[in-house]
Amino acid sequence: MFRCGLIAFVALSSVTFPATGWAYEIKPKVPETAFSPKLQPDIVGLSSNTEGSKASPLFEAYLKDLPGVKPETAQQKFGGTNVTYITAMKFTLAPTSTHPGESMLAVFSSPASANRAYYISRVLGFSAEKQPSKAEMIERVTAKYGQPTAIGDGRMYYFYKAGKVMSVKQKYTPASALEALNAPLNPKAAVALNDANGRGSCVAELKRAQALEKTLDKLVTEAKAANCDALVSVEIFPGITPDRVSKAEFTLIDFKQIISAAKIDADAFAAEKNEALNKTPLGNAPKL
């Protein structure tokens, strides 16, 4: 269900690495984030405050009710050192006769930027016999995340800026929210989400980010172009009847953290490379 670019996953219990590289001390810097302790949206307990090294218990706590499903992890070394860290974690539940399938992905920065999650996504399927109504799904999402910035095109959008949920003056009742979900996004709301130059709508940046590889270097351009600091999107797909839900896709992206972590990581990787070069002689002095 997820396209993770070049991120390679292996079973969490079988990860081993050869003893190569060199000892290196990383002094982490906590990246800037769009959220605060009082405003920390999450997807099944995972937020942009979650560290890769601490994500496994959150995955396993959720998966305890799904026997046989194990989290998988992608790891890499920090530059040429022996320091290994988690870059991504996911699980995938294959479709069965009673369950259309489910999956989740979280992607993390390097330990130089505190190994924080900056992109989290979850796809949740419903069997034909257990499809909730769209009205019930809207109610559940609103209860968890509050009133959305906008609704339309089958999605509920939450855009964050300056520590708050952005407002485009769209007020929803349960009835109007359901009507908006089934309709195109209100043009006035779409325009209000642009910057002063008419660019940077987070609706567009969300769709671009979903299509890209989830590495920092691939996402940072979109993060800088976005006219918001972060977002949560819930896409609701129609089911066996138009008022039912066959699938829901949850996405959380911390654009501010992506920008900050990308700079921290780039500087840290450059510093490590420079230090490694200084430790390794390039040649022998000639005989004099």
Side-chain angles (χ1 to χ4, degrees), residues 151-155 157 180-186 203 207 235-236:
I151 303 177
D153 297 325
R155 298 184 190 233
Y157 297 100
L181 184 71
N182 295 325
L185 186 65
N186 186 309
V203 173
K207 294 176 181 178
E235 185 170 8
I236 299 172

Side-chain angles (χ1 to χ4, degrees), residues 36-237:
S36 67
K38 292 183 178 180
L39 181 66
Q40 193 67 245
D42 68 90
I43 296 177
V44 192
L46 290 159
S47 71
S48 64
N49 193 44
T50 302
E51 298 174 28
S53 60
K54 299 177 181 177
S56 182
L58 295 173
F59 272 80
E60 291 173 353
Y62 178 73
L63 293 174
K64 64 180 174 50
D65 295 325
L66 298 173
V69 184
K70 301 293 183 183
E72 297 174 278
T73 188
Q75 298 186 2
Q76 71 180 45
K77 290 192 174 182
F78 186 86
T81 75
N82 275 324
V83 179
T84 301
Y85 64 96
I86 292 173
T87 58
M89 189 171 289
K90 74 171 185 177
F91 78 81
T92 302
L93 173 63
T96 66
S97 59
T98 58
H99 199 303
E102 182 176 353
S103 52
M104 188 157 70
L105 168 72
V107 189
F108 306 90
S109 62
S110 90
S113 53
N115 198 207
R116 298 291 177 89
Y118 56 83
Y119 187 103
I120 305 166
S121 187
R122 177 194 184 201
V123 175
L124 177 63
F126 301 95
S127 63
E129 297 80 12
K130 297 180 180 180
Q131 292 184 355
S133 67
K134 285 184 177 179
E136 182 184 4
M137 180 63 75
I138 290 171
E139 181 183 356
R140 291 290 183 91
V141 172
T142 304
K144 182 174 179 66
Y145 298 115
Q147 286 294 317
T149 303
I151 303 177
D153 297 325
R155 298 184 190 233
M156 299 178 70
Y157 297 100
Y158 293 81
F159 298 124
Y160 300 83
K161 195 169 186 177
K164 299 178 181 179
V165 178
M166 294 175 66
S167 172
V168 289
K169 299 180 180 179
Q170 299 290 299
K171 301 296 183 182
Y172 299 102
T173 63
S176 66
L178 181 59
E179 182 180 354
L181 184 71
N182 295 325
L185 186 65
N186 186 309
K188 291 183 179 180
V191 170
L193 290 167
N194 292 336
D195 63 15
N197 297 314
R199 301 188 301 270
S201 169
C202 282
V203 173
E205 300 306 335
L206 163 66
K207 294 176 181 178
R208 293 191 187 103
Q210 287 179 319
L212 289 170
E213 294 174 21
K214 305 304 182 283
T215 55
L216 281 174
D217 61 323
K218 298 296 184 182
L219 293 177
V220 69
T221 299
E222 302 306 327
K224 290 179 178 179
N227 187 35
C228 64
D229 295 333
L231 64 84
V232 170
S233 164
V234 183
E235 185 170 8
I236 299 172
F237 297 81

